Amino acid sequence: MTIPDSGCVMENGASCLPCTPEEEKKIVTDLRNESERNLKEGNLYFVISSSWFRKWERYVGIDGDENLIGNQSSDSRHINGASSVVAERPGPIDNSDIVENGSDSDGKGNDIQLRRMLIEGQDYVLVPQGVWEKLHGWYKGGPELPRKMILQGVYHKKFDVEVYPLCLKLVDSRDESQSTIWLSRKASLTELFQKVCALKGIEQDKVRIWDYFNKRKYAQLSVSNKTLEESNLQMDQDILLELVDGHQSSKIGMDSTGNDLALVSLEPSRSPLTIAGGPTLSNGHSGYRSNLYPGSSLGSGLTDMDDGFDACNSARKGEKGGLAGLQNLGNTCFMNCALQCLVHTPPLVEYFLKDCRAEINTDNPLGMHGELALAFGDLLRKLWSSGRTAIAPRVFKGKLARFAPQFSGYNQHDSQELLAFLLDGLHEDLNRVKQKPYIEMKDSDGRPDEEVAAECWKNHKARNDSVIVDVCQGQYKSTLVCPVCSKISITFDPFMYLSLPLPSTITRTMTVTVFYGDGSRLPMPFTVSVLKNGFCKDLLLALGTACGLKSDESLMLAEVYENKIYRYLEMPLEPLASIKDDEHIVAFRFQKKEIGKTRLVIFHRWQEKAELFGTPLVTYLVADQSSGADIEAAVSKVLSPFKKTSSAKAHVGKENGILLDGLDEECSCSDAQSVENAELEGTSCTDLSIPLRLTDDRVMNFNAFKKDTLFESGKIIGKLLRVVLDWTDKEQELYDSSYLKDIPEVYKAGLAAKKTRQEAISLSSCLDAFLIEEPLGPDDMWYCPRCKEHRQAIKKLDLWMLPEIIVFHLKRFTYGRYLKNKIDTFVNFPIHDLDLSKYVMSKDGQSYLYELYAISNHYGGLGGGHYTAYAKLIDENRWYHFDDSHVSAVNESDIKTSAAYLLFYKRVRSESKVEAGEASHSHSIS
């Protein structure tokens, strides 16, 4: 659709182009779809403040399902088309809340910088260039914030919009002045030289630019097509400009004699190191660096100086290793904490401090040609030989960006997801199996579990054999039962960590106010407990039980927002995660025989202020043809419980522990009976004193109608009639409207805290929740070989064999269709003597006693926050806190917090079982 230009401009600066909200929505949707079909590097996207964009979405009637950008905003609503709410047309585009203070707003977005730590979907959205041009043409405003799409990754390429380009601080050696340069991390060094020379007005052949990370000369940069990312340049780091050919040069980076400091890679110290839980090595690590592979590109760039390591930083004689921090390179705390936990894993420390070159698998198509293992090993050795000097893991981050582009850039990520990638990547890079054989898996067919488990483990080891498998992989038993034919399928699968749900996250309490469609009673709130990952059908079932729903009755759920019904929750499989705690949910109680007739929605409006108030009421017109008088009678009947009488003026009642307005807990049965009688008497009244008008789906236009006006059900669009009651002070005296206005929220934290005491959650209860029997989800059906159909089978997990190192992932982050949340519940976990023997089905003679040695912590909310790690130096029997570059001792009593996210345990072996473990059967994982 082509929209003609218009010179008409409104007072607020927006264009008054003749576009309806529906037309705007269609144009933007079409442009977005076209953009997705033509993804390519260099495409322009524009950043828009979520605050403004949500206003536009509401204006054009976009709900959570249709969100054009694909990120559900925190306060967007699911709007029912039949009763959508009118939203005002937004003013000019306003990005002022997402740009840095002091940024110019001349409309040219090249030099305007975004505030740091913004989250896509929550703080901003990205729209293709075509969408921006349309929106800007309609609304004007700004400033415009263009960003380019880049292609990331080596083997697994993905498109990504570079929201935050690389920021470099240029230090001029002539006067030590600083300038800021912004370039894409995919820009070449040639482009960097061109920008620096243009900025300083210097010819390119007369300049020398250094990687000046941490104010030290690391490497001289040369004009080439090598990207800034490949050169390991980091966000906000310094680069140094020097002039050559007789021009003035700075003394920055010189020694006391005025000579340039030598920039060479030095051998690490050969002083003895004591590793966590391992032997004291005198020279097992010394001299071994990844650049010792002649003729291979694997060692390129992996020098000690890249990470800030040299002989001066190496461990002093007698100084303990393993106490070096990791510098934050820009939101890399998620990476730093995961790395600290791994480099303090005793078997991995012992393995990588030895010469493991023979096990590097450069040909594995599932691996990273050994580069990840080399980078990790190189970093581990530096951390164990640098004393307390912090290391900048620039080379490792560069490798990560190449092979796992999802972790590139400078956004915060999930440390558990990174850990999973690292363990899998290290395994593939160190896989001793060079050619993986094809193995056809067999069904259990009633064979003994021991036989099937041993066969599955043997098949797994035939394709996967590495130190990661030896140390970190266990085996669990998975049982599936067909609900139709009772076919049982048993498999034994490997695991590298266990993701445990928090029991407190399984259920939630919800308060819903029930309105009676026949006008027999006043509305009543009910509080019920339902599964968090349940559906509306579960809520309806719990509500029906609570309110005594009869077999011939039905409940209909709806969300009330701004005195209108935003949506009807009529789909049984609508996820409860779509209902947030601060929403107002009501249920309308009807006779089943009424469902399918003409639905009558009754809105309330203060006539004097011409504004809506209260909760709309819903009833049904059962006749095929209804008159205006019939509508008035139906409205009068629904309103009858709210009519003030001598006995019902101060109606009181208590239901399900919720206190209503005016509640007197000591009210007598006779009082309650008189109230009920008064309500029933009111139902016979058909005289409606409040003016009644017809309205439209936006509740904007109001039309009077006569009592003899006929409405035929078959001719009413959608079998839905909407009317508005015009309330005045007179009606306020006759009816108690407080019941319409004071409906409770779905969940009130203060009220729940008073009523219930939170149960203590233990690691054991999390394991129980993980191993509980449950049906598969509708999107995860199992194909039953007997029925020849996909079935929603019953699944049961059991632990069969445990590894030497076991990692527990506490699932604190929940992701629903509409809701994302973090749970800060404290989980009580043992530090010593974690006994898992009762959970293990196999009796292989191994010890099932474990001891904690590392923790990954997450503080703050979803999408941001901060990661730190606790790790134990086992030989010292002392815990340390690793907060990026800062490392400090911590008492063991202080390491148990509600921030614990990943728990690392090592097997505790008694002396009598060590020899037995070393001589165990080939399917043992120790």
Side-chain angles (χ1 to χ4, degrees):
M1 177 182 293
T2 302
I3 303 298
D5 291 334
S6 171
C8 172
V9 178
M10 301 168 62
E11 290 183 2
N12 61 9
S15 172
C16 61
L17 291 174
C19 259
T20 65
E22 292 76 14
E23 288 172 332
E24 287 190 17
K25 175 181 173 180
K26 183 179 187 307
I27 292 171
V28 169
T29 301
D30 291 345
L31 288 172
R32 172 184 173 272
N33 292 337
E34 181 183 355
S35 175
E36 288 184 348
R37 290 191 296 266
N38 296 283
L39 293 179
K40 62 181 180 181
E41 197 170 12
N43 283 358
L44 271 184
Y45 281 72
F46 286 76
V47 183
I48 299 180
S49 167
S50 287
S51 177
W52 183 90
F53 196 77
R54 285 196 292 266
K55 295 176 183 177
W56 178 82
E57 285 186 314
R58 286 195 290 268
Y59 170 64
V60 300
I62 293 176
D63 61 19
D65 279 339
E66 300 177 277
N67 190 291
L68 296 181
I69 307 305
N71 294 286
Q72 179 63 22
S73 57
S74 59
D75 66 346
S76 58
R77 301 278 177 172
H78 191 90
I79 304 171
N80 182 279
S83 58
S84 58
V85 176
V86 176
E88 293 182 359
R89 190 175 194 270
I93 297 171
D94 184 6
N95 286 332
S96 60
D97 61 327
I98 60 173
V99 298
E100 291 282 7
N101 291 333
S103 294
D104 58 38
S105 54
D106 58 1
K108 305 299 181 182
N110 293 327
D111 296 323
I112 302 175
Q113 299 309 322
L114 290 173
R115 284 170 39 216
R116 296 290 180 93
M117 303 293 289
L118 297 180
I119 301 173
E120 184 179 359
Q122 178 176 317
D123 301 303
Y124 69 88
V125 297
L126 294 168
V127 300
Q129 182 176 5
V131 172
W132 166 260
E133 290 172 351
K134 284 297 181 185
L135 291 174
H136 191 259
W138 294 329
Y139 295 95
K140 307 304 180 189
E144 66 179 36
L145 302 168
R147 296 294 185 266
K148 284 187 178 181
M149 176 170 279
I150 59 176
L151 187 62
Q152 299 190 95
V154 177
Y155 304 109
H156 305 286
K157 297 182 181 294
K158 60 169 266 189
F159 287 109
D160 193 17
V161 177
E162 190 175 27
V163 176
Y164 289 100
L166 187 62
C167 175
L168 299 173
K169 305 297 177 63
L170 176 66
V171 179
D172 193 326
S173 64
R174 294 170 294 179
D175 55 8
E176 298 189 21
S177 62
Q178 289 194 12
S179 307
T180 302
I181 292 178
W182 298 86
L183 277 173
S184 169
R185 57 181 180 271
K186 294 296 183 181
S188 66
L189 290 175
T190 298
E191 293 175 79
L192 174 63
F193 271 82
Q194 290 172 348
K195 189 151 189 172
V196 169
C197 292
L199 178 67
K200 294 294 183 177
I202 307 173
E203 295 180 15
Q204 188 170 300
D205 60 350
K206 296 180 180 180
V207 301
R208 186 165 55 191
I209 300 178
W210 293 89
D211 175 354
Y212 200 49
F213 185 78
N214 282 350
K215 301 291 185 182
R216 293 183 56 193
K217 290 181 177 180
Y218 277 91
Q220 182 177 334
L221 305 177
S222 58
V223 177
S224 68
N225 290 328
K226 190 176 183 181
T227 68
L228 305 185
E229 185 175 56
E230 291 169 341
S231 303
N232 295 323
L233 297 182
Q234 304 299 317
M235 179 70 82
D236 296 325
Q237 82 155 76
D238 294 317
I239 54 175
L240 179 65
L241 170 67
E242 290 182 340
L243 299 186
V244 295
D245 294 337
H247 290 262
Q248 181 182 359
S249 180
S250 169
K251 293 186 179 181
I252 295 177
M254 295 184 176
D255 63 18
S256 59
T257 64
N259 298 318
D260 283 346
L261 292 176
L263 300 176
V264 295
S265 298
L266 302 176
E267 291 294 325
S269 167
R270 297 174 184 266
S271 59
L273 290 178
T274 302
I275 66 172
T280 300
L281 304 181
S282 59
N283 58 4
H285 70 287
S286 57
Y288 169 50
R289 299 205 313 271
S290 54
N291 56 2
L292 292 180
Y293 292 85
S296 170
S297 63
L298 295 179
S300 60
L302 289 178
T303 65
D304 291 307
M305 289 300 296
D306 284 325
D307 284 337
F309 175 88
D310 58 24
C312 298
N313 290 336
S314 61
R316 298 180 180 90
K317 186 174 182 179
E319 187 175 16
K320 294 291 184 181
L323 294 179
L326 289 166
Q327 290 188 30
N328 193 312
L329 304 178
N331 273 341
T332 56
C333 58
F334 77 97
M335 178 183 77
N336 291 347
C337 84
L339 286 172
Q340 290 289 9
C341 291
L342 284 181
V343 301
H344 286 85
T345 298
L348 296 185
V349 177
E350 183 175 355
Y351 179 85
F352 280 100
L353 286 183
K354 293 179 179 178
D355 189 348
C356 57
R357 285 174 291 179
E359 295 198 341
I360 297 292
N361 190 336
T362 60
D363 300 321
N364 187 353
L366 299 178
M368 275 125 292
H369 301 290
E371 291 188 51
L372 183 67
L374 289 172
F376 176 79
D378 190 66
L379 181 59
L380 181 145
R381 286 183 290 279
K382 292 171 185 175
L383 288 171
W384 278 95
S385 58
S386 66
R388 288 178 175 265
T389 303
I391 299 295
R394 296 198 299 164
V395 172
F396 185 84
K397 185 177 183 295
K399 297 296 182 184
L400 198 62
R402 288 186 63 210
F403 297 111
Q406 66 270 30
F407 299 116
S408 64
Y410 304 97
N411 292 329
Q412 184 69 277
H413 296 282
D414 190 329
S415 67
Q416 185 273 330
E417 293 178 1
L418 175 67
L419 177 72
F421 169 79
L422 289 179
L423 289 175
D424 186 63
L426 290 174
H427 156 64
E428 296 295 354
D429 270 5
L430 298 170
N431 199 344
R432 302 172 187 117
V433 179
K434 307 302 181 182
Q435 294 291 331
K436 294 188 176 185
Y438 171 76
I439 299 174
E440 186 173 349
M441 303 304 294
K442 301 177 183 178
D443 199 355
S444 57
D445 286 333
R447 292 181 292 161
D449 285 348
E450 291 75 11
E451 178 185 337
V452 179
E455 178 184 89
C456 290
W457 188 254
K458 179 182 178 182
N459 293 339
H460 176 66
K461 287 292 293 275
R463 295 172 53 86
N464 303 277
D465 185 15
S466 70
V467 65
I468 303 299
V469 176
D470 296 340
V471 170
C472 301
Q473 287 195 358
Q475 189 181 37
Y476 64 79
K477 174 185 177 183
S478 175
T479 305
L480 292 172
V481 180
C482 178
V484 178
C485 71
S486 299
K487 164 69 176 176
I488 299 176
S489 174
I490 297 176
T491 58
F492 290 84
D493 303 303
F495 69 84
M496 206 138 42
Y497 53 88
L498 296 176
S499 293
L500 309 183
L502 275 60
S504 63
T505 66
I506 296 176
T507 62
R508 64 185 290 198
T509 58
M510 302 181 70
T511 298
V512 178
T513 304
V514 177
F515 286 80
Y516 294 79
D518 59 1
S520 61
R521 290 177 179 272
L522 280 164
M524 188 74 70
F526 293 88
T527 299
V528 295
S529 180
V530 292
L531 290 174
K532 276 193 174 181
N533 61 349
F535 304 96
C536 282
K537 64 177 183 178
D538 303 316
L539 177 58
L540 287 170
L541 182 62
L543 269 179
T545 303
C547 71
L549 195 70
K550 299 176 183 177
S551 60
D552 61 345
E553 291 180 318
S554 178
L555 290 173
M556 179 179 66
L557 295 171
E559 178 192 346
V560 176
Y561 181 69
E562 293 184 348
N563 309 309
K564 298 182 179 74
I565 295 179
Y566 249 70
R567 54 170 172 158
Y568 293 102
L569 300 165
E570 296 182 286
M571 299 298 292
L573 294 180
E574 176 80 17
L576 291 180
S578 68
I579 303 175
K580 289 179 278 190
D581 289 343
D582 61 348
E583 293 177 353
H584 295 86
I585 302 297
V586 298
F588 298 102
R589 183 171 179 172
F590 303 110
Q591 294 286 323
K592 287 182 178 179
K593 61 185 179 181
E594 297 176 357
I595 307 299
K597 302 295 184 180
T598 301
R599 184 183 299 173
L600 181 65
V601 183
I602 307 158
F603 299 94
H604 311 279
R605 185 176 69 150
W606 285 116
Q607 194 175 56
E608 183 178 350
K609 297 181 179 179
E611 62 182 27
L612 296 178
F613 77 93
T615 304
L617 301 174
V618 178
T619 188
Y620 279 92
L621 302 173
V622 296
D624 293 332
Q625 188 180 67
S626 301
S627 65
D630 295 329
I631 293 176
E632 288 189 359
V635 173
S636 179
K637 185 178 180 181
V638 174
L639 280 180
S640 60
F642 305 95
K643 206 162 192 178
K644 295 179 180 179
T645 66
S646 58
S647 58
K649 186 173 183 180
H651 173 70
V652 295
K654 187 175 184 181
E655 190 78 24
N656 209 31
I658 299 295
L659 202 63
L660 295 181
D661 291 346
L663 175 66
D664 179 2
E665 294 189 68
E666 303 300 326
C667 69
S668 64
C669 295
S670 59
D671 291 334
Q673 185 64 44
S674 65
V675 170
E676 184 174 350
N677 292 338
E679 292 172 359
L680 294 175
E681 289 170 8
T683 60
S684 63
C685 176
T686 59
D687 295 329
L688 186 65
S689 61
I690 309 177
L692 194 63
R693 301 177 185 276
L694 286 175
T695 187
D696 56 11
D697 58 347
R698 293 176 178 263
V699 200
M700 291 291 290
N701 301 308
F702 309 98
N703 300 306
F705 62 92
K706 299 179 180 180
K707 289 189 176 184
D708 58 356
T709 304
L710 294 179
F711 300 89
E712 294 186 23
S713 177
K715 295 183 180 180
I716 298 174
I717 299 176
K719 290 188 176 182
L720 180 63
L721 272 179
R722 305 171 188 85
V723 294
V724 171
L725 288 167
D726 275 333
W727 291 69
T728 65
D729 292 338
K730 177 183 176 183
E731 280 73 39
Q732 183 72 0
E733 294 176 0
L734 296 175
Y735 294 90
D736 190 349
S737 62
S738 63
Y739 292 99
L740 298 171
K741 293 183 289 186
D742 301 328
I743 60 173
E745 296 177 354
V746 167
Y747 176 78
K748 198 72 173 179
L751 180 61
K754 293 177 183 177
K755 293 173 62 178
T756 60
R757 184 178 178 182
Q758 187 177 11
E759 293 183 19
I761 296 178
S762 65
L763 184 62
S764 178
S765 64
C766 294
L767 263 170
D768 292 335
F770 173 73
L771 299 173
I772 195 171
E773 183 181 273
E774 61 181 356
L776 295 176
D779 297 327
D780 191 26
M781 306 280 271
W782 170 64
Y783 182 79
C784 176
R786 183 180 295 169
C787 297
K788 309 296 183 184
E789 296 278 350
H790 283 91
R791 302 294 189 193
Q792 197 168 357
I794 306 299
K795 183 176 183 178
K796 177 71 171 72
L797 293 178
D798 293 290
L799 300 180
W800 183 262
M801 189 167 54
L802 298 184
E804 186 77 12
I805 299 296
I806 187 166
V807 181
F808 294 110
H809 164 221
L810 303 178
K811 297 173 70 173
R812 294 194 177 277
F813 301 110
T814 59
Y815 303 90
R817 187 179 179 186
Y818 303 101
L819 188 67
K820 299 177 182 179
N821 189 32
K822 186 201 170 185
I823 304 112
D824 289 313
T825 304
F826 174 74
V827 177
N828 190 15
F829 50 89
I831 299 175
H832 305 283
D833 300 329
L834 171 63
D835 189 356
L836 299 175
S837 56
K838 70 174 183 178
Y839 294 103
V840 184
M841 298 187 68
S842 171
K843 305 306 176 186
D844 54 5
Q846 294 284 357
S847 167
Y848 301 122
L849 205 62
Y850 286 82
E851 178 179 339
L852 187 72
Y853 71 88
I855 306 173
S856 169
N857 303 298
H858 181 269
Y859 301 90
L862 188 71
H866 183 58
Y867 285 96
T868 69
Y870 291 125
K872 183 178 183 179
L873 264 63
I874 295 177
D875 286 352
E876 283 189 27
N877 194 29
R878 190 171 187 181
W879 285 87
Y880 288 87
H881 183 219
F882 294 83
D883 185 356
D884 289 332
S885 58
H886 182 70
V887 181
S888 58
V890 63
N891 293 327
E892 185 174 272
S893 58
D894 295 330
I895 67 173
K896 294 169 70 168
T897 71
S898 60
Y901 184 45
L902 300 173
L903 304 174
F904 293 74
Y905 285 87
K906 64 183 289 290
R907 193 196 304 272
V908 177
R909 293 194 180 204
S910 63
E911 293 297 328
S912 60
K913 292 189 175 181
V914 171
E915 295 183 3
E918 293 174 350
S920 60
H921 191 266
S922 61
H923 75 268
S924 171
I925 59 174
S926 299

